[in-house]
Amino acid sequence: KDYASGSLKAFDFSQLLKNIPELNQLDCTISSFAFEHPIDSSNMNPTYWISISDIIAENYNDYDGFVVLHGSDTM
């Protein structure tokens, strides 16, 4: 969230290993993908779920696992 404007802002995962150095102890490669524009969880729908599943399918053979993070303010 951009606290000045109140608008949604994508989390910068490029700094994840810098901010959580303990992750470097894991014997794995961590990479990330984010949609260009954040999606408010109240706007999630099957179209986005299909996009997420397509991204996983396209990268399935390159990784051992996937973690999908999303907001939960409408749960």
Side-chain angles (χ1 to χ4, degrees), residues 19-36:
N19 293 323
I20 308 174
E22 294 83 1
L23 291 174
N24 290 304
Q25 296 175 22
L26 302 174
D27 184 22
C28 66
T29 301
I30 297 175
S31 56
S32 65
F33 175 88
F35 288 105
E36 185 174 340

Side-chain angles (χ1 to χ4, degrees), residues 23-55:
L23 291 174
N24 290 304
Q25 296 175 22
L26 302 174
D27 184 22
C28 66
T29 301
I30 297 175
S31 56
S32 65
F33 175 88
F35 288 105
E36 185 174 340
H37 301 286
I39 305 160
D40 188 286
S41 62
S42 62
N43 295 327
M44 276 302 281
N45 61 52
T47 301
Y48 289 116
W49 298 332
I50 291 169
S51 295
I52 293 167
S53 68
D54 288 344
I55 292 164

